[in-house]
Amino acid sequence: AFFLWWEPRASNPVLDLSLFKDRIYNFSVLSAMIQALALFAVNFLIIFYLQGVLGYDPLKAALLLIPLPIVTSVVAPVGGRIADRIGARIPATVGLLIQGAALVWFTGITPAWPYWEIAFGLGLMGFGGGLFYPPNTSAAMNASPKNRLGIASGTLATLRQAGMVTSFALALAVAASSLPRDVMMQLFVGTSVTLGSSPMLAFVTGMHSAFWVSTVLVIVAAGISFVRGKEDRGAKTEEAGEAIPAITD
């Protein structure tokens, strides 16, 4: 409470609460935090599935996640260019909806799934991420005052990290709720990473529940992203253009 009271009065605040008066910045940060809350534990669930259900070793399981970052890295520059042309609202929202579709895809996961189905879901999630991250970040930065860009970036990163940490706790709690306590501890602590047939089915059922919870959250993030409003990128470009001669002089 003291922190929130003091920050508006500080000349150089750690958290500039005035940033949240801007609708576009506010909604961009909020959608990023909820997206992180919905999705960042998915990799961990898939890792545990690959090890505990399919019986892969940790290195192989980690390498099998590679479709997600590869597709994200390929699509992200395209997402940024689209945002530069038409604004962030449409590409970021579409990206979140695509990630929601990937989560729905994963709700059908079974112990007998071939790897191509997992890779497809990861690739779809990476595609949506590539459309969401650059436009959403650029919208938040574009809505920030020039003398507060560092604080604005730090606030965005902090709240995204908070969403990530909470995501792990939420998704793993939901997924583990169907497992006996001793099996849960063996799986998540790492003393045993191979499940028997009955715990295996229970864990997959728990994964379904976690993916449905994540789907609801990412749809909420998409709604927030859509109603953020249209940012005025032209005005910022003109400001930057005017600042360059001043610096040169």
Side-chain angles (χ1 to χ4, degrees):
F2 176 77
F3 177 79
L4 294 177
W5 175 85
W6 173 257
E7 285 300 286
R9 295 164 175 77
S11 57
N12 294 294
V14 174
L15 176 62
D16 190 349
L17 298 177
S18 67
L19 291 169
F20 293 98
K21 295 178 181 178
D22 187 284
R23 177 188 178 93
I24 294 175
Y25 181 83
N26 199 3
F27 281 42
S28 297
V29 170
L30 187 58
S31 61
M33 184 177 69
I34 298 177
Q35 187 264 2
L37 175 62
L39 292 171
F40 271 87
V42 171
N43 282 353
F44 279 80
L45 291 177
I46 298 298
I47 280 284
F48 287 125
Y49 169 84
L50 292 172
Q51 294 184 67
V53 177
L54 300 188
Y56 296 143
D57 63 80
L59 178 60
K60 183 176 181 179
L63 291 175
L64 290 177
L65 295 178
I66 204 166
L68 193 158
I70 287 179
V71 176
T72 300
S73 63
V74 171
V75 177
V78 179
R81 291 193 188 98
I82 294 173
D84 288 340
R85 288 177 177 271
I86 65 173
R89 181 173 61 170
I90 299 302
T93 303
V94 170
L96 287 170
L97 292 176
I98 291 173
Q99 291 190 311
L103 288 167
V104 173
W105 173 265
F106 277 127
T107 60
I109 196 169
T110 70
W113 258 30
Y115 173 68
W116 74 263
E117 293 191 83
I118 299 171
F120 176 80
L122 292 171
L124 193 62
M125 191 170 296
F127 188 90
L131 288 177
F132 172 73
Y133 296 123
N136 190 72
T137 302
S138 67
M141 294 299 98
N142 196 57
S144 306
K146 289 188 295 183
N147 64 338
R148 286 290 185 266
L149 289 177
I151 295 176
S153 177
T155 302
L156 174 62
T158 298
L159 293 179
R160 182 185 292 147
Q161 293 288 334
M164 290 171 58
V165 172
T166 309
S167 175
F168 299 141
L170 176 64
L172 295 182
V174 172
S177 62
S178 56
L179 289 173
R181 179 177 174 80
D182 58 333
V183 176
M184 177 189 69
M185 292 301 295
Q186 290 175 6
L187 177 64
F188 294 131
V189 173
T191 56
S192 175
V193 293
T194 303
L195 297 173
S197 58
S198 179
M200 179 189 301
L201 293 174
F203 178 65
V204 171
T205 300
M207 288 179 66
H208 293 167
S209 300
F211 288 141
W212 280 119
V213 171
S214 292
T215 301
V216 172
L217 288 171
V218 83
I219 290 173
V220 171
I224 293 171
S225 174
F226 184 74
V227 300
R228 79 176 80 196
K230 185 177 181 180
E231 69 268 30
D232 188 2
R233 292 181 177 240
K236 289 289 183 179
T237 303
E238 290 176 7
E239 277 184 31
E242 291 172 0
I244 291 173
I247 294 172
T248 305
D249 294 340

